[in-house]
Amino acid sequence: MIDVKKIRDDFPILKRKINGNQLIYFDNAATSQTPQVVIDKISNYYSNYNSNIHRGVHMLSQEATESYEKSRRIIQNQFNAKSSNEIIFTSGTTHGINIVASGYSNFLKKGDEIILSEMEHHSNIVPWQMLCEKTGAIIRIAKMDENGVLILDYFKSICSNKTKLVLVSHVSNALGTINPIESIISIAHSNNAVVLIDGAQAAPHIKIDLQKLDVDFYVVSGHKLMGPTGIGVLYGKESLLDMLPPYQGGGEMIEEVTFSKTTYAKLPHKFEAGTPNISGGIALGTAISYLNEIGFDSISKYEKSLLDYSTFKLLEIDGLKIYGESNQKTAVISFNIESIHPYDLGTILDKLGIAVRTGHHCAQPIMDHFNIPGTIRASFSFYNTKEEIDIMVEAIKRAKLMLA
Amino acid sequence: MIDVKKIRDDFPILKRKINGNQLIYFDNAATSQTPQVVIDKISNYYSNYNSNIHRGVHMLSQEATESYEKSRRIIQNQFNAKSSNEIIFTSGTTHGINIVASGYSNFLKKGDEIILSEMEHHSNIVPWQMLCEKTGAIIRIAKMDENGVLILDYFKSICSNKTKLVLVSHVSNALGTINPIESIISIAHSNNAVVLIDGAQAAPHIKIDLQKLDVDFYVVSGHKLMGPTGIGVLYGKESLLDMLPPYQGGGEMIEEVTFSKTTYAKLPHKFEAGTPNISGGIALGTAISYLNEIGFDSISKYEKSLLDYSTFKLLEIDGLKIYGESNQKTAVISFNIESIHPYDLGTILDKLGIAVRTGHHCAQPIMDHFNIPGTIRASFSFYNTKEEIDIMVEAIKRAKLMLA
Amino acid sequence: MKSIATIQKEIIDEFSLFDDWMQRYEYMIDLGKSLPIIDQKHKTDSNIIKGCQSKVWVYAELKKNQVIYTADSDAIITKGIIALLLRVYSKQHPSDILKADTSFIDKIGLKEHLSPTRANGLLSMVKQLKMYAIAYQTQLN
Amino acid sequence: MKSIATIQKEIIDEFSLFDDWMQRYEYMIDLGKSLPIIDQKHKTDSNIIKGCQSKVWVYAELKKNQVIYTADSDAIITKGIIALLLRVYSKQHPSDILKADTSFIDKIGLKEHLSPTRANGLLSMVKQLKMYAIAYQTQLN
Ligand SMILES: Cc1ncc(COP(=O)(O)O)c(C=O)c1O
Ligand SMILES: Cc1ncc(COP(=O)(O)O)c(C=O)c1O
């Protein structure tokens, strides 16, 4: 089980005071906080072996390259990818999705269909809209019900041999819903469709086995995984990555360049043009090792207890409605209070030191579904506590009085 | 003038020992070293206000947003851009060039011409080759002479009303040549061609005034500017950036998303899809402020003295040939020693604690021009010293004996 | 008519009476509640200010060389801010509006609303108010 | 014929006599200079190993169930490494080659050449040697 007191000591930011109050950080779905080991890894990189990688014969370059490539293998092992060639460092989930979406413009044609769920983050919508604009392919929406649960039968009914791509989040950032991606993948594959799963919100909370899932593409962001900003991972099956054209041109991703002909490098370098985020890649490995030391079983169990507790406590507040009531959720609660605008509540909570997110959470179609301008979202991590939840509940009551 | 002893104390890595020897870091053109203020800024970010930006009402998000946007303004001022909307954060020079190259696929047609110089880095070649493949436009090469100097008359002769784009580096990474970009820009503009200058190697050494240059696009990398990896800047004139389509789809870069229609956000956000490299952007501002405190006048003057001294000393070595003998150079020396392979020399220098780069420096066409497999490149920064150069020269002599 | 500077001074004086953020925010919320209601026909999509997390509608007319603003929002704190802004900017000559600055916001302890986060649209609001002023200024020239 | 393990042991013993990197590298350079020259007709582009900063050509033949490697490089230290590798791998049975590991490189103080930087092609070289062994192994089955 989680020793939360000890764990909190790993995160220097949790000591922050906001407006005289102890910071309560419930915005983990936007960005997770960073343990000291990760911060130290970054400092250590710049203090001891900062150097451009892959092409240097000197020691610093070799050390940096080794650390960077070791990190790739840590990630490979963490997600159980078959080969480290399948692990592409990106600048984040958005970048990863764009690599794939842009690559498929060569392989889709007019009338082809792609399926998006209704609960996607804008990053898993807009690149596909751009793809469809280029190719004439058509977007079909996999609907969800009033609990924010994907309607699997409906999905089955729109998935056909016209379907070329299926794009679904593993976990919805705005609702916390865990989608049945095993079923989605198997339905899609039985129609020969390729599946990209947006794992930005899943990877920090759930142990992921890519080979077992048999997923085609999977994307995550480092800054939600206790890692630094500006780094992420695109996983793709080697055969698919081999097939896709390179996304960016530049150094690193080429084998030979003449003005008449350029040959591209092998995986994973083909997709890693230019000097990468070296410190970010290295520190992401450290972050994932840190998560693994705590253990995903413990994390899931503890976060579930926070979710249950906060759901129970929040529902005691009069007029509070929770959006997303699947029985398969990560520790995310999106809610509104009758006749109070989320922005107002968020502002008062901030004054009380509580960081929640308000708004559409980059998932406007979800807001349209529920016909609301936005929600207040409290998203928990394993360093949060029930005491913090109690303080938030009291703060909400106070804000309610002020705003009523 | 530069107080190099004091400055060296700002860079923790310069205390490193390599194989028992004091590190001598002469690989600055690949990646510059990082002063403690920049490292501290990063640690401080993750320890105190790490948070997703732009959409949060809470204090951490506001602090992070303010720091990030302040950094944008520091960069705007540094390069004298007209508006902060013209400063796009990228993950590096390569990314910046790809944004522009990809955007122009809508605006070029078969038979249009683009001009590249013969001394471009692969990152300023491959994206344009990809663009030409898509559009049928044709690449013309602006040649250089035996000193590694661009032949301006030749450039003038190939620049015509067919020329749509001119892509030239401000400073060649492999040779150190400073190109006459003022003339290039004015010739190009008189033919209504748009000019992108690759400033990766110039910005760390030369004060740049974008408005005075009247350049259309200018790109730099943070990791060569005493900043962190994974961050860079694309400057573009506002009207041109407005015209270009967005590069990536995702969060941040949209104004409104529905499944039927998405409208894009205004500059600079249109080109900044997804959670950016927040700590990188913030730390880049710190790095640039640091450079400015030292002062570009002092930097240029001091680095010139290192260049002159090392050129003089190196030419005393028998059989040593320098590539790139323009009288307008940054402190980069590319050389070979008769019958010694650069890789061999680089390996021995590394053993002696001296980090130089060997190989084609991602500029194969230059190597083809001189008909060599590669060079040894020593590139200096303002924290290097004449004593270090003396040690390198002695080391080269020793290596020569071993390898002869 | 009082000058913009005078009104700003008055507001600063009023807010100086408050001991803490609670009182300031409660006052703002009261102000929000009392914001005169914008004419429904001006609550159109084209009058929405982009870049605010809460919806903000602003409309302006020129009467006797003065810009008369009306506005609304779906969030109450935002309405409070609007009320403050309108008190300062409304019924002023366009040229005076264009000269005015927003430093009083900082002085009354609401600096957080000046931050460049797009979530907080105060800067967008001020920009919109000034856009109207520019338009009417041109009309007067 | 000596076994791969025996040869590796011999090399480790030889290198243990050296006091410092200088002696090791001087020895490697000597080895490089004495590397038997590859037949010019095998120095083709298709025999070049990609991913090395120096050019490396490798060629292999099967003779009496043994793989005979010849190789060359334009860099002398690389040639030295090749000489060591060939001493270990050449004239062995394909199945023995496939079983061999490269830990002796670490033990003789040349670990830096095992790093995954693409600049240092030692791993690529070993991979190529084993590719030949796989090919000839299949031929023998
Ligand atoms: C002239 C030039 N252009 C482009 C680049 C590519 O920069 P980056 O790898 O940071 O994208 C470099 C650096 O390697 C360079 O020196
Ligand atoms: C489900 C989901 N997808 C995609 C993203 C985009 O991630 P990033 O902004 O790191 O690219 C996020 C995070 O904001 C997310 O929650």
Side-chain angles (χ1 to χ4, degrees), chain B residues 345-360:
Chain B
L345 185 50
T347 303
I348 304 290
L349 291 184
D350 172 50
K351 284 284 161 194
L352 293 162
I354 302 162
V356 293
R357 190 136 297 227
T358 63
H360 56 55

Side-chain angles (χ1 to χ4, degrees), chain A residues 149-162:
Chain A
V149 175
L150 206 80
I151 306 168
L152 207 54
D153 280 343
Y154 184 80
F155 171 72
K156 215 181 273 179
S157 76
I158 61 170
C159 196
S160 73
N161 61 3
K162 283 193 201 157

Side-chain angles (χ1 to χ4, degrees), chain A residues 29 92-95 121 123 169 171 173 198 200-201 221 223-224, chain B residues 274-275:
Chain A
T93 298
T94 303
H95 180 201
H121 186 281
S123 287
S169 51
V171 170
N173 71 307
D198 172 353
Q201 295 295 336
S221 287
H223 69 95
K224 299 185 199 279
Chain B
T275 304

